[in-house]
């Protein structure tokens, strides 16, 4: 057994864990990150790409935005396509100039790892955390981990544990449900999340809303695009070969003079997403961040942005604890984060219902479809609904 003593033990080398680790390091607080996958796996796992203005400003302030500013793209308007008619919402103009950066999550993760290691930080890759113990007044908190090849067991003794290990967090086993008080919601939509080696057919996000299905294009890099395609309940990946996918996408994403570029699809996954939000994100010395605390629908691109904001709040609270012996910010961590999280949930819930046609088996579809059309018309008109969309989409 190998023993490691450190101020903060962090489970998971995703955006939340790595941002927290880097900021703590800047405050002189020692931290170790334990990650079950290899460095190569985490640096190549494609997921998010849409980074809010506020997140970029924070990363810039703490010296973590170099890669995304040098190599990312920006976007400030998006196109909605409803039954073949297109209209654009210049959301950055409507939201005081707040645009998004587009930078693949795996590139950001790669940058955060490089910076943390450059600053002499320690990451145990290929080590799975198997148990957390929050300790008590006389005992340190502990993280138990073992290497993926089974040759090494590690016990990390720390003042605090930050569970940043995604939606199946080990903290869900260590912190009783009665304390986490989670709420869940199953969305009645399923979709294919696709990654294709094709340049975006237009350099902004396009949402296609059709009577029977929805689709979207998200630029990722000048040569890679993400697509989403709504599918029916019960359909499997094997039902969707590349030809059928491109036919469906080109049917929905019909933009005059901008035909969908087709090419190699490098990733296909079915996402039937449920929201899972812990109303309490801390228990003694264990804190939950990012998807470990709140996994929400992908609509609106909020998950990674919330994860980084959780890390910002917890890092500031830990700095107050170690620097000024002030416990209050740590005590307020959940309260400080919950209203922002619920604001993001509210928006993503609104957007997901706007973007998706009512599933075939839902009743009564006519009423919800008419509401959807009314919302689309208001969005197109550019009045208060468009301004609300812009404010919430761009983020604070
Ligand atoms: C297709 C897709 C597109 C998305 N697009 C966007 C977007 O545009 N904008 C946006 O803001 N969000 C987006 N999201 C959501 C975003 O990817 C997540 O919210 C984000 O990854 C959460 O970060 P995290 O650090 O909390 O967790 P994760 O990124 O999930 O990282 C958790 C880490 O913990 C590790 N781990 C898990 N269990 C253990 C264990 N027991 N021991 C050790 N390590 C462990 C995992 O291997 C992983 O590396 C998207 C998600 C998907 C799937």
């Amino acid at each position: 057994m190998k023993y490691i003593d450190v101020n903060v033990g962090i489970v998971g080398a995703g955006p939340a864990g790595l941002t927290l680790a880097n900021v703590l390091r800047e405050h002189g607080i020692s931290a170790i990150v334990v990650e079950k996958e290899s460095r190569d796996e985490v640096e190549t796992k494609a997921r998010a790409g849409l980074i809010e203005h506020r997140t970029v400003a924070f990363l810039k302030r703490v010296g973590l935005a170099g890669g995304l500013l040098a190599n990312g793209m920006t976007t400030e308007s998006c196109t909605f396509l409803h039954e073949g008619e297109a209209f654009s919402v210049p959301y950055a103009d409507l939201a005081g100039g707040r645009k998004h950066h587009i930078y693949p999550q795996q590139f950001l993760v790669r940058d955060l790892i490089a910076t943390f290691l450059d600053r002499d930080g320690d990451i145990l890759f290929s080590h799975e955390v198997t148990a957390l113990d929050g300790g008590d007044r006389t005992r340190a908190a502990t993280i138990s981990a073992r290497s993926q090849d089974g040759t090494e067991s590690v016990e990390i003794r720390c003042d605090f544990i930050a569970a940043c290990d995604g939606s199946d967090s080990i903290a869900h086993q260590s912190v009783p449900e009665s304390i986490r008080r989670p709420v869940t919601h199953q969305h009645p939509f399923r979709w294919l999340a696709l990654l294709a080696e094709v340049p975006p057919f237009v350099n902004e996000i396009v949402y296609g809303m059709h009577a029977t299905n929805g689709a979207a294009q998200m630029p990722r890099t000048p040569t890679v695009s993400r697509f989403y395609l709504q599918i029916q309940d019960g359909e499997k990946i094997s039902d969707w070969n590349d030809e059928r996918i491109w036919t469906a996408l080109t049917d929905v994403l019909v933009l005059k003079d901008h035909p969908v570029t087709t090419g190699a699809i490098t990733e296909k996954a079915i996402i039937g997403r449920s929201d899972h939000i812990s109303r309490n994100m801390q228990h003694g010395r264990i804190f939950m961040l990012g998807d470990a605390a709140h996994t929400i629908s992908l609509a609106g691109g909020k998950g990674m942005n919330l994860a980084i904001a959780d890390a910002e709040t917890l890092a500031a609270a830990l700095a107050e604890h170690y620097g000024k012996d002030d416990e209050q910010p740590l005590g307020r961590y959940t309260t400080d984060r919950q209203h922002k999280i619920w604001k993001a949930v509210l928006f993503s819930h609104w957007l997901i219902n706007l973007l998706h046609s009512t599933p075939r088996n839902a009743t009564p579809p006519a009423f919800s479809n008419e509401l959807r059309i009314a919302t689309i018309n208001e969005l197109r008109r550019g009045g208060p609904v468009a301004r609300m969309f812009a404010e919430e989409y761009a983020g604070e």
Side-chain angles (χ1 to χ4, degrees):
M1 174 78 79
K2 182 174 165 187
Y3 295 96
I4 298 172
D5 291 295
V6 74
N7 292 138
V8 182
I10 299 174
V11 188
L18 292 166
T19 302
L20 178 67
N22 272 295
V23 180
L24 290 180
R25 190 103 201 126
E26 283 305 279
H27 285 291
I29 300 166
S30 64
I32 188 167
V33 182
V34 189
E35 166 58 52
K36 72 174 175 189
E37 294 185 346
S38 68
R39 180 171 180 177
D40 185 52
E41 281 169 314
V42 291
E43 290 186 344
T44 51
K45 191 155 134 198
R47 292 169 82 186
L50 204 54
I51 309 182
E52 288 176 6
H53 169 88
R54 191 196 172 283
T55 309
V56 176
F58 163 67
L59 292 173
K60 216 163 138 182
R61 246 183 0 257
V62 293
L64 297 173
L68 88 88
L69 292 175
N71 306 310
M73 309 186 287
T74 58
T75 182
E76 47 198 85
S77 65
C78 58
T79 294
F80 287 90
L81 267 162
H82 181 235
E83 300 296 331
E85 265 190 55
F87 64 96
S88 178
V89 178
Y91 66 83
D93 282 354
L94 294 168
R98 281 175 270 140
K99 54 190 170 194
H100 282 101
H101 273 72
I102 296 181
Y103 191 56
Q105 176 169 336
Q106 70 276 23
F107 293 1
L108 180 65
V109 162
R110 183 196 60 198
D111 298 348
L112 293 171
I113 289 172
T115 308
F116 188 56
L117 296 179
D118 276 356
R119 293 173 178 174
D120 284 332
D122 197 1
I123 306 178
L124 288 180
F125 287 106
S126 305
H127 279 69
E128 179 165 10
V129 171
T130 51
L132 304 180
D133 178 345
D136 57 30
R137 283 182 194 282
T138 55
R139 273 184 316 113
T142 52
I143 296 175
S144 307
R146 66 164 173 260
S147 62
Q148 291 289 22
D149 63 9
T151 58
E152 187 179 63
S153 294
V154 184
E155 189 174 288
I156 295 161
R157 295 181 293 218
C158 46
D159 304 331
F160 299 101
I161 295 173
C164 307
D165 48 341
S167 46
D168 293 323
S169 174
I170 188 90
H172 298 178
Q173 293 165 31
S174 328
V175 180
E177 198 168 309
S178 57
I179 288 174
R180 286 187 290 116
R181 298 192 298 119
V183 279
T184 54
H185 173 72
Q186 183 69 48
H187 293 283
F189 312 111
R190 297 175 85 231
W191 65 99
L192 278 178
L194 308 156
L195 214 53
E197 277 181 7
V198 295
F201 65 91
V202 53
N203 219 7
E204 61 182 36
I205 291 171
V206 181
Y207 294 113
M209 298 171 293
H210 204 275
T212 51
N213 62 349
Q217 177 215 238
M218 317 261 150
R220 281 299 189 248
T221 72
T223 55
V224 173
S225 306
R226 189 174 269 297
F227 291 91
Y228 295 102
L229 178 64
Q230 186 181 358
I231 59 171
Q232 295 297 324
D233 240 6
E235 285 187 313
K236 303 185 288 297
I237 290 189
S238 54
D239 297 328
W240 286 88
N241 62 29
D242 290 12
E243 196 187 335
R244 184 176 175 211
I245 289 171
W246 287 122
T247 305
L249 287 173
T250 43
D251 276 356
V252 180
L253 301 173
V254 186
L255 203 54
K256 196 164 171 281
D257 301 330
H258 294 285
V260 171
T261 326
T262 63
I265 296 177
T266 51
E267 213 178 280
K268 288 182 201 173
I270 289 189
I271 304 189
R273 194 83 163 180
S274 62
D275 290 356
H276 182 100
I277 299 136
S278 292
R279 283 173 287 176
N280 180 22
M281 300 159 59
Q282 62 197 95
H283 179 44
R285 298 170 185 202
I286 301 178
F287 292 83
M288 289 173 278
L289 292 81
D291 279 12
H294 40 75
T295 307
I296 73 170
S297 120
L298 304 185
K302 297 293 175 191
M304 182 170 77
N305 289 286
L306 287 175
I308 291 172
D310 289 350
E312 177 185 359
T313 302
L314 186 62
L318 286 166
E320 292 291 300
H321 165 83
Y322 284 106
K324 300 186 188 154
D325 216 9
D326 183 356
E327 302 300 310
Q328 287 188 16
L330 276 178
R332 283 199 314 264
Y333 168 68
T334 295
T335 325
D336 285 351
R337 293 301 304 142
Q338 281 282 300
H339 71 283
K340 304 276 187 209
I341 292 161
W342 280 101
K343 202 162 170 278
V345 175
L346 178 64
F347 175 66
S348 93
H349 192 80
W350 177 86
L351 188 59
I352 202 170
N353 282 295
L354 178 72
L355 296 177
H356 292 81
S357 63
T358 313
R360 272 186 216 136
N361 52 1
T363 52
F367 182 74
S368 46
N369 273 333
E370 289 307 319
L371 280 183
R372 186 170 173 244
I373 291 165
T375 312
I376 292 166
N377 287 338
E378 288 306 312
L379 203 50
R380 190 196 318 252
R381 252 194 278 278
V385 172
R387 285 200 294 279
M388 181 283 286
F389 167 79
E391 285 288 334
E392 298 303 326
Y393 194 58
E396 284 174 6

